[in-house]
Amino acid sequence: MKTLLLGDFSPTATTNPLFREKKIDTLFTDTLSLFEGNDINLVNFECAITDEETVIDKFGPGLHCCEEVAEVLKEVGVNACALSNNHIFDFGKKGFYNTIRVLEQNGMSLTGYGENETDSRRDLVVEKDGEKIAFVNVCEHEYSYALENRCGCRPFDPFDTMEDIRKAKESADRVIVLYHGGKEQCEYPSPRLMKACRAMVKNGADVVLCQHSHCIGAYECYEGAHILYGQGNYHFVHNSKHANWYSALAVKYDTRTHEIEFIPLQMLDEGIGFAKGELAESIMDGFAKRSASLSDGTWIEGWRAFCEEKREPYTKVLQNAFKEDSTPKQNHRFAHYLDCEAHTDVWRELFKTANHTNEL
């Protein structure tokens, strides 16, 4: 099967009116050709379809869009959505269920969610012409994830996820893991993330795509499988202070040949387009250099430098929590950083235990 796998998709204040008016040419420009000739066109749907305005108790923005978004996606050729991410539950159960309803009404195959944690561990399985492909869609613990007694998206678990991948591989020809995690704006994986993705491969994954970081990271072919540590945004038109927000990779993967292709995209004022010329060369050159650093081991320098830049805000989170005069918000932030794998990855890098220097 031929698959098109796309990163973070979320209409914004700029693009939501254009989706409502179905200005497809403005929103997608020359990239509409991406959807042609594929069996599966999948996006990471990172928002709620709702008119609600009350956001759950969380850090970060509440992302939502109009119902016409699903109609536009259907019209351009999208037929599958991954829902396991940190924004699908931004407007609680009402927004969560409405999103599922609208997407299903528009013929989308959905994955990465459930009525509870156990129910969420269901794969999307696609069969065609004697071939069987399984999608395992998980997210780190940054809100939205299902609990034992509450609906939500499928959480990553270092034990359960590996078991799920092994089971999927028992009957599927290919297993594609969509992992929503990694540190935002970091172009390198953390040591934990690299170990986790490689473990997924050892348990049967043929492709592992890490999304959520909002930037292009690095790629490695590990034991014959494809791992992309950071796909970048797909359609997320936003005025960001981070330069790496404005470029992304579309991924084309042929399940029969096992060939993978990375296509550079750029954000435009009101949509997206193919990156061309010097911009495309710059995007792919940087991607190649970071990918090479995974082989020679120098990637760790990039990871450590990124963490060091975050030392002050992370120190403040530790210093401000659970004192006599601490606010509930300060305590909540500490708990959130402890809950989320990407945040604890930075903590462990910055605040090492004595075990790292003990030699007696």
Side-chain angles (χ1 to χ4, degrees):
M1 277 183 262
K2 296 186 183 299
T3 69
L4 172 66
L5 309 171
L6 299 168
D8 301 347
F9 171 86
S10 182
T12 62
T14 298
T15 59
N16 201 53
L18 299 174
F19 276 100
R20 193 182 298 276
E21 298 169 12
K22 299 184 179 179
K23 301 288 188 179
I24 291 176
D25 289 338
T26 302
L27 290 163
F28 296 94
T29 65
D30 54 356
T31 67
L32 288 170
S33 60
L34 279 173
F35 299 97
E36 299 172 0
N38 307 313
D39 299 292
I40 301 169
N41 291 316
L42 181 146
V43 300
N44 167 35
F45 198 90
E46 195 174 14
C47 63
I49 300 177
T50 180
D51 292 326
E52 293 289 320
E53 295 293 340
T54 303
V55 181
I56 61 170
D57 187 8
K58 64 173 293 186
F59 291 103
L63 303 181
H64 62 147
C65 67
C66 61
E67 293 194 4
E68 289 84 355
V69 166
E71 298 172 14
V72 170
L73 289 180
K74 179 181 180 180
E75 189 167 339
V76 302
V78 173
N79 55 14
C81 294
L83 302 184
S84 189
N85 57 65
N86 58 307
H87 285 288
I88 199 68
F89 202 77
D90 278 358
F91 296 85
K93 291 182 179 179
K94 189 173 182 180
F96 176 77
Y97 284 124
N98 193 61
T99 304
I100 295 168
R101 177 187 65 80
V102 174
L103 290 175
E104 287 184 337
Q105 283 181 349
N106 283 274
M108 303 295 173
S109 297
L110 306 179
T111 189
Y113 72 99
E115 289 298 320
N116 52 54
E117 183 177 357
T118 300
D119 185 53
S120 74
R121 292 171 63 186
R122 292 176 287 114
D123 306 331
L124 170 62
V125 178
V126 181
E127 297 185 63
K128 183 179 179 181
D129 298 332
E131 207 179 0
K132 186 175 182 179
I133 311 302
F135 290 86
V136 178
N137 178 210
V138 296
C139 69
E140 292 182 350
H141 290 70
E142 189 172 4
Y143 306 107
S144 286
Y145 60 93
L147 304 175
E148 183 178 344
N149 58 354
R150 195 205 68 199
C151 62
C153 57
R154 183 179 187 173
F156 168 75
D157 183 274
F159 307 105
D160 292 344
T161 301
M162 302 307 165
E163 178 184 351
D164 292 345
I165 293 170
R166 286 197 305 273
K167 287 183 177 179
K169 191 61 175 180
E170 289 175 0
S171 60
D173 299 291
R174 298 289 187 191
V175 176
I176 299 172
V177 178
L178 306 170
Y179 180 94
H180 198 85
K183 193 68 186 77
E184 290 179 316
Q185 275 74 55
C186 186
E187 298 173 321
Y188 300 90
S190 69
R192 177 203 60 84
L193 181 58
M194 178 179 282
K195 285 184 178 180
C197 291
R198 289 179 171 182
M200 293 178 203
V201 169
K202 291 178 180 178
N203 280 276
D206 297 284
V207 177
V208 180
L209 297 185
C210 297
Q211 300 167 333
H212 173 69
S213 62
H214 303 302
C215 65
I216 300 172
Y219 162 82
E220 68 174 338
C221 182
Y222 180 75
E223 295 192 0
H226 305 290
I227 305 177
L228 177 58
Y229 301 101
Q231 186 174 356
N233 297 312
Y234 166 53
H235 207 296
F236 207 139
V237 178
H238 170 64
N239 184 20
S240 174
K241 64 181 179 180
H242 302 284
N244 54 15
W245 181 282
Y246 298 94
S247 58
L249 297 175
V251 175
K252 284 200 169 187
Y253 174 61
D254 190 316
T255 60
R256 287 198 181 276
T257 65
H258 195 46
E259 293 179 354
I260 198 164
E261 179 184 5
F262 303 111
I263 303 166
L265 306 175
Q266 65 170 322
M267 188 188 305
L268 305 174
D269 291 340
E270 296 183 316
I272 59 169
F274 286 123
K276 303 181 183 72
E278 292 183 1
L279 176 60
E281 291 180 10
S282 176
I283 292 172
M284 297 310 288
D285 285 348
F287 180 51
K289 289 176 181 177
R290 291 190 298 275
S291 299
S293 75
L294 300 182
S295 299
D296 63 26
T298 56
W299 64 274
I300 195 66
E301 299 171 8
W303 163 252
R304 288 171 177 167
F306 174 87
C307 291
E308 195 58 43
E309 292 176 358
K310 306 297 180 183
R311 180 177 291 275
E312 182 178 356
Y314 275 80
T315 300
K316 286 183 177 179
V317 170
L318 291 169
Q319 292 174 335
N320 292 337
F322 298 104
K323 301 186 298 183
E324 288 187 6
D325 59 347
S326 295
T327 66
K329 185 175 182 179
Q330 289 172 324
N331 294 338
H332 177 190
R333 188 180 291 275
F334 176 89
H336 167 53
Y337 276 30
L338 189 63
D339 195 26
C340 176
E341 293 88 340
H343 287 303
T344 55
D345 285 348
V346 178
W347 264 3
R348 289 191 175 101
E349 186 63 48
L350 293 175
F351 311 115
K352 295 184 181 297
T353 67
N355 186 62
H356 290 267
T357 55
N358 284 340
E359 294 189 11
L360 292 178

